[in-house]
């Protein structure tokens, strides 16, 4: 087998940050500083190139223009590399991983996203280990020569997660990510133990197709007892609104009051698509289990099953960005497109 060729795409995030000497706040810094701090990378027998964002960002500034940039770098370099490692801030990493999953259709190579909780220049940094493991995963091949991972995934500390199934769970633990409804794709210990059952098995039928369209005319509405009717109506009547992620209670339940039902059904009649995603970190929406949830289904609210919020909102942005009829958007929300949910 030939020497693996990997492209590192550096977008910013804590991994490459340094402390501002005056304010002591962390700010993004350039790639050469980052790589200088990981001399061990040279011990890997890989051919590694890098591409850095002109202005590396804190990932709280991430938006769909950046997603397009990352997707376009991957598209332009797709045939030149065996795998891609994206260095990214942790705050919105799960959103980027989900968005890229929907944007990169027919992906047949690893896109491994990682970052760190402590900057790479700090003595106790988790960045060095994360970067090296991400490179090893991006370079890993099966006996038939194909990449072991052929999807977008997040590598963080001890685990590799499916990108569109992961959520940031901790602001300070080194194991910052988790999939609450899907197993880890790999466990990182003495070895990198892949779960071949959990990894994507799709047989890609065509070459990579990048769907650049992303429509941000979507919002989320989280239910809480005492929700204000006029605020809800205001949000549902926002000009340009196309889709809503409704973060419901438990197994997908919502209040069964007249004003609430009216607000939602009127919005659906106006063509707004509503996807029901539970506020619980674990377990799916089971529309119809309770009367309070059945009502939503009858009105035309779509069940999001066990999808994460990050995957739900980026899937909606992606679907509305494809200029397809609204019925097709609704249809595609009911089914998994890239392993983002399981229908029981
Ligand atoms: N604020 C940082 C970011 O998301 C946090 C991190 O990287 O861990 O860019």
């Amino acid at each position: 087998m030939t020497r693996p060729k990997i492209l590192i795409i550096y977008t910013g995030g804590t991994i490459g940050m340094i402390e501002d000497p005056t304010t002591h706040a962390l700010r993004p810094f350039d790639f050469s500083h980052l790589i200088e701090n990981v001399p061990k990378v040279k011990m890997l027998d890989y051919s590694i190139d890098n591409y850095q964002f002109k202005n590396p960002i804190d990932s709280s500034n991430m938006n769909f223009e950046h997603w397009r940039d990352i997707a376009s770098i991957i598209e332009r370099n797709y045939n030149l590399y065996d795998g891609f490692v994206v260095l990214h801030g942790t705050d919105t990493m799960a959103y980027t991983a989900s968005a890229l999953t929907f944007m990169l259709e027919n992906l047949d190579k690893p896109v491994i996203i990682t970052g760190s909780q402590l900057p790479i220049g700090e003595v106790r940094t988790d960045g060095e280990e994360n970067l090296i493991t991400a490179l090893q995963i991006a370079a890993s091949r099966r006996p038939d020569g194909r990449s072991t991972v052929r999807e977008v995934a997040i590598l963080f500390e001890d685990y590799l997660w499916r990108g569109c199934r992961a959520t940031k769970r901790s602001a300070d633990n080194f194991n910052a990510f988790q999939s609450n409804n899907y197993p880890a794709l790999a466990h990182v210990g003495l070895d990198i133990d892949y779960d071949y059952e959990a990894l994507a098995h799709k047989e890609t039928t065509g070459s990579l197709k990048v769907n650049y369209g992303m429509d941000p005319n979507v919002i989320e509405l989280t239910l809480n007892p005492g929700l204000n009717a006029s605020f809800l109506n205001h949000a549902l009547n926002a000009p340009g609104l196309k889709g809503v992620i409704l973060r419901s209670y438990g197994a997908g339940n919502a209040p069964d009051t007249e004003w609430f039902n009216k607000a939602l059904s009127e919005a659906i009649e106006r063509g707004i698509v509503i996807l029901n995603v539970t506020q619980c970190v674990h377990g799916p929406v089971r529309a119809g289990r309770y009367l309070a949830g059945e009502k939503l289904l009858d009105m035309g609210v779509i069940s999001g099953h066990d999808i994460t919020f990050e995957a739900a909102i980026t899937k909606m942005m992606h679907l509305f960005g494809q200029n397809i009829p609204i019925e097709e958007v609704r249809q595609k929300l009911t089914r998994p497109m890239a392993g983002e949910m399981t229908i029981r």
Side-chain angles (χ1 to χ4, degrees):
M1 283 195 203
T2 52
R3 234 169 134 221
K5 286 198 76 186
I6 312 292
L7 181 66
I8 300 177
I9 303 169
Y10 172 55
T11 70
T14 298
I15 190 163
M17 289 188 186
I18 54 162
E19 201 177 279
D20 187 293
T22 355
T23 64
H24 299 292
L26 291 172
R27 62 173 170 82
F29 204 56
D30 75 299
F31 185 79
S32 48
H33 144 84
L34 190 153
I35 214 73
E36 268 162 27
N37 276 286
V38 197
K40 278 188 201 150
V41 165
K42 295 195 186 80
M43 291 165 71
L44 298 170
D45 190 20
Y46 307 157
S47 157
I48 300 173
D49 292 318
N50 66 75
Y51 182 100
Q52 86 156 334
F53 268 23
K54 208 154 128 219
N55 298 309
I57 56 169
D58 184 300
S59 80
S60 40
N61 290 309
M62 193 53 68
N63 64 42
F64 57 87
E65 292 296 347
H66 299 114
W67 294 337
R68 286 189 187 128
D69 288 346
I70 302 170
S72 146
I73 297 161
I74 293 173
E75 183 176 38
R76 282 184 274 129
N77 290 284
Y78 195 67
N79 295 325
L80 303 175
Y81 293 91
D82 300 306
F84 302 86
V85 169
V86 180
L87 299 179
H88 194 291
T90 57
D91 289 347
T92 58
M93 189 181 284
Y95 293 87
T96 297
S98 297
L100 290 177
T101 301
F102 301 120
M103 293 170 91
L104 303 173
E105 199 178 324
N106 290 332
L107 181 70
D108 200 34
K109 293 187 178 184
V111 174
I112 312 299
I113 311 183
T114 194
S116 67
Q117 294 281 41
L118 282 175
I120 203 101
E122 294 218 6
V123 183
R124 288 178 51 251
T125 187
D126 50 331
E128 179 179 64
E129 194 182 309
N130 284 347
L131 172 58
I132 288 173
T133 310
L135 286 165
Q136 289 182 318
I137 292 172
S140 167
R141 291 180 220 177
R142 303 186 190 208
D144 66 3
R146 296 182 73 182
S147 298
T148 306
V149 179
R150 305 202 303 269
E151 58 185 300
V152 179
I154 289 182
L155 176 277
F156 225 87
E157 192 72 2
D158 297 331
Y159 301 96
L160 181 73
W161 305 108
R162 171 164 295 167
C164 58
R165 290 284 197 157
T167 297
K168 183 172 178 181
R169 70 168 189 115
S170 172
D172 63 8
N173 196 298
F174 282 160
N175 269 307
F177 288 84
Q178 192 162 316
S179 289
N180 294 304
N181 292 314
Y182 198 75
L185 303 182
H187 183 260
V188 181
L190 285 183
D191 296 311
I192 302 173
D193 274 326
Y194 293 98
D195 180 339
Y196 291 96
E197 275 295 303
L199 283 161
H201 292 285
K202 61 185 182 319
E203 276 315 313
T204 42
T205 46
S207 49
L208 179 76
K209 177 173 174 255
V210 182
N211 304 305
Y212 286 100
M214 276 275 163
D215 189 333
N217 289 311
V218 297
I219 52 162
E220 69 108 356
L221 285 172
T222 301
L223 296 182
N224 62 277
L227 182 70
N228 181 308
S230 75
F231 292 172
L232 179 80
N233 275 308
H234 202 75
L236 290 175
N237 283 289
L241 180 67
K242 293 185 182 167
V244 176
I245 307 297
L246 180 72
R247 297 183 97 171
S248 61
Y249 302 127
N253 306 314
D256 190 15
T257 53
E258 215 182 300
W259 69 263
F260 182 81
N261 292 340
K262 188 163 174 277
L264 259 62
S265 46
E266 282 179 4
I268 292 170
E269 273 163 33
R270 288 197 303 278
I272 291 172
V273 177
I274 306 182
L275 184 68
N276 186 1
V277 174
T278 174
Q279 292 174 22
C280 291
V281 290
H282 177 249
V285 163
R286 292 170 205 261
R289 180 168 157 86
Y290 296 93
L291 199 64
E294 197 177 34
K295 266 274 163 101
L296 295 177
L297 203 60
D298 293 345
M299 268 180 229
V301 173
I302 301 162
S303 169
H305 300 275
D306 62 357
I307 197 168
T308 61
F309 171 68
E310 295 89 332
I313 196 116
T314 52
K315 184 175 179 180
M316 253 200 192
M317 286 182 182
H318 158 74
L319 290 174
F320 283 120
Q322 305 313 300
N323 293 318
I324 49 176
I326 186 169
E327 255 326 298
E328 206 178 323
V329 171
R330 293 180 56 86
Q331 268 297 317
K332 291 198 159 143
L333 284 170
T334 61
R335 294 193 297 259
M337 279 176 56
E340 74 280 13
M341 65 185 190
T342 308
I343 300 179
R344 297 181 191 201

